[in-house]
Amino acid sequence: MKKIVIFFLAVFIIVGSISYLYMNFKVNYNEAKRENKQFVSYNNKEISGTELTTIINKAMDNNKNNQVQKDKKGKYIDNENNSINIDIEIIDNNTTYPMEILYNGGMDKFVEFYGTIQFKCEEIQYHKLTGKVKKMLFTQITQ
């Protein structure tokens, strides 16, 4: 009788553990999907500089809320979990800027000069561990 009770107890523990791991996976997957939704919708889409400032502000807030560390230059460090970096390629001077430079320089100035200019999201990379958006590249397509 003891062997039967131990057997059913072991089966219950195994099934419970697998169920817990599966539910935890689903929660993390749905969280990544929800967070990605606000960024992935811009992939291969043309947007104005004004819309790009909104995306940059979201990414900066995301990094701040997730307490992502910065390097000595003030650029967010990829933490392989939930950090997001956005690079903006400006064809006027053939230079790619990280979002922090534009943000710290004043988004109002960026909007003043590039608010009506069109940009396109050329690339999105994801964190391997969490599946969350890791990096986006926006390229200026009009002058």
Side-chain angles (χ1 to χ4, degrees):
M1 184 71 172
K2 279 186 176 181
K3 289 182 181 181
I4 294 174
V5 171
I6 291 173
F7 173 76
F8 282 116
L9 185 60
V11 169
F12 179 74
I13 290 172
I14 291 170
V15 169
S17 297
I18 291 171
S19 297
Y20 173 77
L21 291 174
Y22 176 74
M23 293 301 289
N24 196 25
F25 167 78
K26 288 294 280 183
V27 166
N28 290 337
Y29 173 78
N30 288 333
E31 178 186 344
K33 190 175 177 181
R34 181 182 49 78
E35 288 182 20
N36 285 348
K37 190 175 186 178
Q38 62 184 333
F39 295 107
V40 173
S41 63
Y42 296 104
N43 193 23
N44 291 316
K45 185 177 176 186
E46 292 183 16
I47 61 170
S48 68
T50 304
E51 288 178 275
L52 181 55
T53 60
T54 301
I55 298 166
I56 291 171
N57 286 330
K58 286 180 185 178
M60 295 292 287
D61 287 343
N62 181 67
N63 287 339
K64 192 178 294 185
N65 291 338
N66 291 324
Q67 300 176 345
V68 177
Q69 299 295 315
K70 292 183 178 182
D71 64 13
K72 293 177 183 178
K73 295 181 181 179
K75 189 173 183 311
Y76 284 105
I77 300 170
D78 178 8
N79 66 5
E80 292 299 328
N81 184 22
N82 56 12
S83 60
I84 182 166
N85 289 300
I86 297 176
D87 289 333
I88 300 91
E89 184 178 356
I90 305 293
I91 60 173
D92 293 344
N93 58 8
N94 202 24
T95 306
T96 301
Y97 297 99
M99 66 180 179
E100 295 87 354
I101 288 184
L102 299 178
Y103 187 84
N104 293 333
M107 295 307 292
D108 54 337
K109 290 181 184 177
F110 179 77
V111 170
E112 181 182 337
F113 294 113
Y114 292 97
T116 59
I117 303 297
Q118 294 295 301
F119 291 85
K120 184 175 181 182
C121 180
E122 300 284 341
E123 178 184 355
I124 294 182
Q125 297 176 7
Y126 300 91
H127 289 290
K128 291 178 184 174
L129 182 65
T130 61
K132 294 180 181 180
V133 173
K134 172 182 178 177
K135 185 175 183 178
M136 299 177 78
L137 172 65
F138 286 89
T139 303
Q140 178 186 355
I141 56 174
T142 60
Q143 293 186 6

